[in-house]
């Protein structure tokens, strides 16, 4: 019996979703202080960029951003002021 893995279909689905989101852009995250950043690379040559902010009510929110926004916002900076040039 031959076993099939879900790796290839899952990778293709993730790449398609990433391409769709990248083409459409991201929703702006909530205002707050940047407390964390994470960049992950897919096996398809793309990347996923996330910022985590602490909002004025103390909640932590994580959301996707573009590469430029990721590069413009440092830990401790104020979002969305860090992306407004």
């Amino acid at each position: 019996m031959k076993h099939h893995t879900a790796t290839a279909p899952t990778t293709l689905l993730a790449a398609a979703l990433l391409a769709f989101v990248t083409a459409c852009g991201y929703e702006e995250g909530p205002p707050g202080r940047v407390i964390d950043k994470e960049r992950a690379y897919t096996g398809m040559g793309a990347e996923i960029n996330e910022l985590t902010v602490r909002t004025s009510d103390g909640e932590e929110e994580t959301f996707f951003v573009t590469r430029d926004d990721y590069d413009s916002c440092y830990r401790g900076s104020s979002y969305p002021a860090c992306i407004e040039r």
Side-chain angles (χ1 to χ4, degrees):
M1 179 174 192
K2 189 174 186 180
H3 293 283
H4 295 282
T5 62
T7 304
T10 302
T11 302
L12 291 174
L13 178 61
L17 179 60
L18 179 63
F20 175 75
V21 171
T22 302
C24 297
Y26 297 108
E27 283 189 37
E28 190 171 293
R33 183 78 45 199
V34 177
I35 60 171
D36 196 22
K37 298 170 60 162
E38 187 170 338
R39 176 176 281 163
Y41 295 95
T42 69
M44 305 293 289
E47 62 189 32
I48 300 170
N49 302 293
E50 292 181 333
L51 292 180
T52 301
V53 299
R54 180 167 289 120
T55 62
S56 60
D57 61 0
E59 297 294 318
E60 292 182 7
E61 298 282 336
T62 301
F63 51 94
F64 298 109
V65 294
T66 65
R67 172 187 256 185
D68 288 341
D69 291 352
Y70 180 91
D71 291 340
S72 296
C73 296
Y74 298 94
R75 286 179 181 85
S77 62
S78 180
Y79 180 88
C82 58
I83 64 171
E84 298 168 354
R85 301 172 221 184

